[in-house]
Amino acid sequence: MKRTPKSPLRDTLAINLRSLRAERGWSQERLALESGLNRTYLSAVERSEQNISIDNVWRLAQALDIDPASLLEVRQRS
């Protein structure tokens, strides 16, 4: 699998994706099924190891029933 250098935005997406998935009580397998993406790929995205296309951001947002931009928002961490 091709890896690109990590970026702060990719890290933000990884944190938000993990958090939103956990809030719903979904496994990576469930999110993969709902979004039509591979579970291994999602795991790499959640670890900020895999770059993600804008089309796949859209697919994840659709699966989670959220605005795609919310996956890229920097949120305050408690």
Side-chain angles (χ1 to χ4, degrees):
M1 184 180 324
K2 182 179 173 187
R3 304 253 195 272
T4 56
K6 287 188 179 185
S7 71
L9 187 57
R10 202 158 88 189
D11 290 339
T12 296
L13 183 135
I15 291 165
N16 290 343
L17 183 58
R18 237 184 349 261
S19 174
L20 289 163
R21 180 178 58 76
E23 285 173 12
R24 285 162 177 73
W26 288 9
S27 65
Q28 287 179 343
E29 191 68 36
R30 168 84 187 269
L31 182 55
L33 179 66
E34 297 288 337
S35 65
L37 298 173
N38 181 280
R39 192 214 45 89
T40 304
Y41 171 77
L42 287 178
S43 177
V45 170
E46 285 191 359
R47 291 190 316 272
S48 192
E49 294 177 352
Q50 177 69 42
N51 203 7
I52 185 170
S53 73
I54 196 71
D55 292 335
N56 287 341
V57 169
W58 181 83
R59 290 171 81 173
L60 290 168
Q62 291 295 301
L64 294 165
D65 195 28
I66 59 170
D67 179 54
S70 67
L71 285 169
L72 304 174
E73 290 175 0
V74 176
R75 300 175 185 175
Q76 294 294 328
R77 308 287 177 221
S78 47

